[in-house]
Amino acid sequence: MSCVSELSQSNEYLSFRSSIPLRKIVVDSDGAKAWRIFDSGPKSVTCPLICLPPVSGTADIFFKQVMGLASRGVRVIAAEPPPYWNIKEWCDGFKRLIDYLELDKVHIFGASLGGFIAQKFAELTSNCPRVASLVLCNTFTDTTVFEYNDSSALFWLLPSLVLKRMLMGNFTTNKVDRRMAESIDFMVEKLESLTQSELASRLTLNCTPCYVKPQVLNNIPITVMDVWDESALSSRVREDLYKSYPHAKLAHLKSGGNFPYLSRSDEVNLHLLIHLRKFDGSEQSASYLSLHKMPAPINTNQPEEGTVSYFNQREKYVKIS
C-alpha cells in the first residue's frame, strides 16, 4: 500500500526538501549503516538541537521544526538512525555521529522512542556528558509498558507488512481535527517508506525490556512536553515520567495527538524556543542570535488552539502565551 499525504505536497514541505539536502553519513566501521540527517541553520553553532523520531518516523517528520527554528537562528539537525538492534549499539552510533559532526554537546528533542533513547544516551554518557539538555515529547522511561515484550526477540523474523500492522493501531483518526488528520496521513506515508530491518530494529528497541535511571539525569535541564488529548501513551505512563523528573518543566499542549510536532508545530516550536533561551550567550547556545530578544512565534490564524501553558514543577508557576 502506498499513499501520498497532503503535508508531503504542501509548499512548506516542498520548500524544505528543495532547500535543505538530505545527508547520508556512515559512522560505523562496517560501512553498511548510514545515518540520514537534515542539517539546517548556522554551522558555527556547535551545540545544536537534534530531533530524534519515533518508531514510525523518518528525519523529515521534523521539517516544521527545522524550517521554523532555523529561521530564528537555531541550528536544527533532524536525524534518522540506521538499523541498530540494542541500546548500546544505538548510543555508540549516535556518539560517532556527534563526533563526525564535530559537536561537543547537543540538545535533544526526542519523540516517543526517540525520547526514550535520548534519555538512555544521556545516562550512558553521564561520565563524559554529551547532552546539554532534553525535550521529551510523548515519551516514556520504561519499555515494559508496551505489548510484545515477550516476542521482541522475534521481530527480525517478521515480514514488513506484519510490523506495519502492529504500528497502525496507534494511528487512530477518531475525534481529530484537520491538522491532526493530516499529520496522521503524513506519518502513515513515512511508515510505508521504512524497510523491514528499520522497522524490526526500532520495534526491538521499543519493546525489549529496558528502563532509564532518572537519578543519573538530575543535572540535565529537561522539559517534558505532552498533550492533554488522546495519545498512544496512557496517563499512568505520563505520570511515571513526571515523577522521574521532579525538576523538569512541563510543557502542555491542549491538543495535538501522537504527533504534535506536525499538528501543533507553532506551539511545539514555541516551547522549544523557551527551553533553549536559558542557554543564550553560553557555549551551549543552539542559536547565534539572542532568543530572549526575539518575539515568540504565534500562529494568529488559529487562536482557539494557540493556548500554551508552561508549568514549572519546582517553582509552581504557569506562563500563558
Side-chain angles (χ1 to χ4, degrees), residues 23-65:
R23 296 177 61 190
K24 295 183 179 180
I25 300 175
V26 177
V27 297
D28 296 283
S29 57
D30 60 9
K33 295 178 178 179
W35 285 77
R36 294 191 283 264
I37 72 167
F38 294 96
D39 188 351
S40 180
K43 301 302 182 286
S44 59
V45 172
T46 58
C47 190
L49 175 70
I50 296 186
C51 303
L52 299 177
V55 172
S56 55
T58 52
D60 54 349
I61 66 170
F62 296 111
F63 74 94
K64 290 177 178 284
Q65 283 66 56

Side-chain angles (χ1 to χ4, degrees), residues 16 50 109 120 154 190 218 242 307 316:
F16 162 76
I50 296 186
F109 173 51
K120 291 300 293 181
L154 302 175
K190 296 303 158 185
N218 278 339
Y242 301 157
T307 302
K316 307 300 182 189

Side-chain angles (χ1 to χ4, degrees), residues 14-302:
L14 295 175
S15 173
F16 162 76
R17 290 309 307 264
S18 64
S19 60
I20 302 173
L22 171 63
R23 296 177 61 190
K24 295 183 179 180
I25 300 175
V26 177
V27 297
D28 296 283
S29 57
D30 60 9
K33 295 178 178 179
W35 285 77
R36 294 191 283 264
I37 72 167
F38 294 96
D39 188 351
S40 180
K43 301 302 182 286
S44 59
V45 172
T46 58
C47 190
L49 175 70
I50 296 186
C51 303
L52 299 177
V55 172
S56 55
T58 52
D60 54 349
I61 66 170
F62 296 111
F63 74 94
K64 290 177 178 284
Q65 283 66 56
V66 172
M67 297 293 278
L69 297 179
S71 67
R72 305 171 71 82
V74 179
R75 184 180 180 186
V76 184
I77 299 173
E80 177 186 344
Y84 290 118
W85 296 89
N86 62 66
I87 292 293
K88 186 181 185 306
E89 186 183 38
W90 194 105
C91 291
D92 287 344
F94 187 57
K95 183 177 181 294
R96 286 192 289 269
L97 175 69
I98 293 175
D99 291 339
Y100 178 90
L101 295 172
E102 298 180 345
L103 308 173
D104 292 328
K105 285 189 176 183
V106 295
H107 305 278
I108 302 179
F109 173 51
S112 192
L113 174 63
F116 174 75
I117 297 182
Q119 295 170 79
K120 291 300 293 181
F121 180 74
E123 175 191 314
L124 294 175
T125 58
S126 59
N127 291 333
C128 182
R130 305 302 300 271
V131 177
S133 72
L134 293 170
V135 182
L136 307 174
C137 179
N138 285 353
T139 194
F140 48 92
T141 57
D142 190 339
T143 60
T144 58
V145 300
F146 295 101
E147 298 178 87
Y148 312 116
N149 281 141
D150 297 335
S151 56
S152 59
L154 302 175
F155 286 147
W156 67 278
L157 289 170
L158 299 178
S160 181
L161 184 61
V162 174
L163 297 173
K164 289 174 182 177
R165 283 179 176 170
M166 289 167 59
L167 290 168
M168 282 295 202
N170 294 327
F171 290 20
T172 177
T173 55
N174 297 330
K175 300 178 182 177
V176 298
D177 60 32
R178 179 182 58 81
R179 289 188 293 159
M180 290 168 66
E182 287 177 351
S183 71
I184 293 170
D185 290 343
F186 186 73
M187 292 298 292
V188 169
E189 181 181 358
K190 296 303 158 185
L191 173 62
E192 291 293 336
S193 72
L194 296 175
T195 65
Q196 190 277 344
S197 60
E198 288 170 337
L199 276 174
S201 60
R202 294 181 189 187
L203 279 167
T204 300
L205 292 176
N206 200 92
C207 298
T208 299
C210 184
Y211 62 91
V212 176
K213 299 175 182 175
Q215 67 274 15
V216 179
L217 279 60
N218 278 339
N219 296 324
I220 297 177
I222 295 175
T223 294
V224 175
M225 184 184 302
D226 59 15
V227 296
W228 281 343
D229 61 354
E230 186 175 347
S231 70
L233 298 178
S234 67
S235 57
R236 182 178 69 82
V237 174
R238 289 200 294 267
E239 289 296 329
D240 287 345
L241 188 65
Y242 301 157
K243 292 174 183 176
S244 296
Y245 303 112
H247 67 289
K249 291 184 177 179
L250 305 184
H252 290 304
L253 282 70
K254 185 171 66 175
S255 59
N258 287 317
F259 318 114
Y261 36 88
L262 286 166
S263 62
R264 300 292 185 268
S265 59
D266 289 331
E267 288 133 277
V268 169
N269 289 357
L270 173 59
H271 282 309
L272 289 172
L273 283 172
I274 292 171
H275 175 87
L276 294 172
R277 280 176 180 171
K278 67 172 68 72
F279 302 98
D280 262 8
S282 72
E283 293 181 352
Q284 297 178 9
S285 176
S287 173
Y288 73 99
L289 299 171
S290 174
L291 298 177
H292 279 285
K293 298 177 182 178
M294 303 180 71
I298 290 292
N299 188 342
T300 55
N301 294 327
Q302 286 137 350

